[in-house]
Amino acid sequence: MVKPSDYELKLLRTLWRHDRLSAREIHEATRDETGWSLSATRKTLDRMVDKGLVRCQPIHGVNTFAAAQGKLETLAGLMTAFARDVLDLDAPLPAAAFTGSRLVEPDEIAALEALLARMAADEEGGEA
């Protein structure tokens, strides 16, 4: 999994909510939060394409962008890394930590919990 920066996460959140958008649409949706110009949003999207975080597809002559990594997979990876690298925990944070989140729907909590468990099992298997 490619770890997105904080600003890349702001753009990814918009794409997770809307599936596929143009650079201008992403910019309009995130401008208040980022304070960026349209060219800065485009440059960040280009870097995200290079990193494999988003896919670019021209539609009717306009480049459109879609998240290349799923929301839950990205969140599970970030949670696992945070628990391990920052909190020095052997197990990831529980998915219940996202209860009340505007990003994670209540019906996604169980799927996130399963992903976290699978990632923890994969890490244990890799250490042996």
Side-chain angles (χ1 to χ4, degrees):
M1 180 195 91
V2 178
K3 183 180 175 187
S5 71
D6 291 346
Y7 280 104
E8 291 167 341
L9 280 169
K10 292 175 190 310
L11 303 186
L12 282 171
R13 278 197 323 249
T14 298
L15 288 171
W16 289 329
R17 288 182 179 117
H18 299 285
D19 293 326
R20 178 168 295 283
L21 296 170
S22 70
R24 182 171 298 281
E25 290 169 324
I26 295 166
H27 173 72
E28 293 295 324
T30 60
R31 179 178 43 202
D32 290 343
E33 189 174 6
T34 64
W36 291 349
S37 65
L38 177 58
S39 63
T41 301
R42 283 190 173 129
K43 184 67 176 170
T44 301
L45 286 166
D46 290 341
R47 281 195 306 267
M48 292 172 73
V49 168
D50 292 343
K51 289 172 70 173
L53 290 168
V54 297
R55 292 183 307 277
C56 178
Q57 178 184 1
I59 297 179
H60 303 296
V62 175
N63 283 339
T64 62
F65 299 86
Q69 292 184 168
K71 173 177 64 173
L72 297 182
E73 292 81 3
T74 301
L75 293 176
L78 290 170
M79 288 176 68
T80 299
F82 181 78
R84 180 189 61 235
D85 300 338
V86 177
L87 300 177
D88 201 22
L89 296 173
D90 292 331
L93 297 171
F98 283 94
T99 301
S101 168
R102 291 186 306 258
L103 181 62
V104 179
E105 299 295 326
D107 61 338
E108 294 175 315
I109 298 290
L112 183 57
E113 194 74 55
L115 271 171
L116 289 166
R118 189 178 76 227
M119 291 174 84
D122 289 349
E123 276 193 15
E124 286 178 14
E127 292 176 5

